[in-house]
Amino acid sequence: MAIPNIIRTQAVELTSIPAIAYKQKLNAGGAGIKILRMDGDYSAVCSIDKRTGDMIPYGRIDESLFPFEAFDEAFELTNSLPYSARGSIKVTPIQIDEETDVVEDAPPEQTDMTLSPEYQALIHRYSDEKGALNYQLMNKDFIQFAAKSKVVSDMVGAGAGRDEILAFIVKSRATVLANQRESLDDASVELLIETLDEIDPRSAFKELKAHIIRLQSRKKGK
């Protein structure tokens, strides 16, 4: 029986301790940083607070094996790296085995959006030469679309909420970039935004959300 893939970033090597790390989706929801030491069969996970970006121990962590500075380093190295459906990792002092299952990885049913043409198109369009997602470029493109869109203007005029307008913009751009004839449904758009947000807990669409709020404020001021 084949071992299912999980949603995670590529693995990065740490310098603070002999270990590798990656960002992943967690069974309990949200994102976490997972560290696997290369000098023994030890691993640890911190979940990432969506609002603050702070890391919270996910279960008991031996700080002698996993000092907090190692999680800081892992966070910085994986920040903006895109998710994809990848094999689990088990580290040994000799090799990395991509076929061995690891506890705490997200279940395979959560991989849907990373495999979608819309997600793949956004990652392809807005990733830099190092493979990190360029949020500044993505937000600039989406804001330009919003500024020209009559539908966005009408939604603002009708008093639509920020998240509703955000979902329309992301759905519209993702559909065009993926060259799809049909748009994603509401649940899929929500999951797509959530997946992109988890790549950077400071929010993938911070500038776009601020732009939408400015549009709404102008409308209220009239």
Side-chain angles (χ1 to χ4, degrees):
M1 179 179 178
I3 297 173
N5 288 336
I6 59 173
I7 301 176
R8 65 174 176 86
T9 66
Q10 67 187 52
V12 296
E13 186 171 358
L14 305 184
T15 59
S16 53
I17 60 173
I20 64 169
Y22 55 83
K23 186 185 294 181
Q24 64 175 92
K25 274 189 171 290
L26 300 175
N27 277 324
I33 295 290
K34 186 161 191 172
I35 299 179
L36 303 94
R37 289 193 66 109
M38 294 189 287
D39 54 357
D41 189 17
Y42 308 107
S43 65
V45 178
C46 272
S47 61
I48 302 173
D49 188 291
K50 291 183 178 180
R51 295 169 300 173
T52 64
D54 294 337
M55 284 175 285
I56 303 168
Y58 193 75
R60 297 183 63 182
I61 293 179
D62 186 341
E63 293 185 13
S64 65
L65 293 171
F66 300 98
F68 198 74
E69 52 264 30
F71 280 99
D72 279 337
E73 181 184 9
F75 180 88
E76 292 301 323
L77 291 176
T78 59
N79 193 37
S80 296
L81 291 180
Y83 280 145
S84 61
R86 298 171 181 264
S88 300
I89 294 178
K90 181 177 180 180
V91 175
T92 73
I94 300 174
Q95 64 181 6
I96 296 176
D97 182 2
E98 291 274 355
E99 298 300 327
T100 305
D101 198 16
V102 181
V103 177
E104 305 294 1
D105 292 326
E109 60 266 21
Q110 293 191 33
T111 65
D112 289 349
M113 290 317 297
T114 66
L115 298 176
S116 70
E118 290 82 3
Y119 177 86
Q120 296 291 337
L122 291 174
I123 296 302
H124 176 75
R125 173 72 174 247
Y126 302 115
S127 290
D128 61 24
E129 64 277 2
K130 296 180 180 179
L133 195 59
N134 186 329
Y135 286 114
Q136 184 177 10
L137 178 61
M138 183 169 67
N139 275 268
K140 180 180 179 181
D141 186 14
F142 283 25
I143 289 171
Q144 288 177 344
F145 167 80
K148 297 176 181 178
S149 172
K150 183 178 185 302
V151 175
V152 170
S153 178
D154 290 344
M155 291 178 74
V156 172
R162 184 201 68 180
D163 290 344
E164 183 181 353
I165 298 171
L166 173 69
F168 169 77
I169 295 170
V170 173
K171 176 173 65 175
S172 299
R173 291 300 295 145
T175 300
V176 170
L177 292 175
N179 197 27
Q180 297 294 296
R181 293 185 177 181
E182 296 183 2
S183 299
L184 296 170
D185 58 35
D186 291 344
S188 296
V189 173
E190 182 179 351
L191 182 55
L192 176 61
I193 292 172
E194 176 185 308
T195 302
L196 291 166
D197 263 343
E198 287 178 358
I199 296 173
D200 184 347
R202 289 180 288 265
S203 176
F205 301 106
K206 182 178 180 180
E207 291 84 0
L208 178 57
K209 289 176 181 177
H211 176 74
I212 295 170
I213 291 172
R214 286 195 296 271
L215 293 177
Q216 293 172 318
S217 297
R218 292 172 191 165
K219 192 265 179 182
K220 291 178 181 178
K222 291 182 179 180

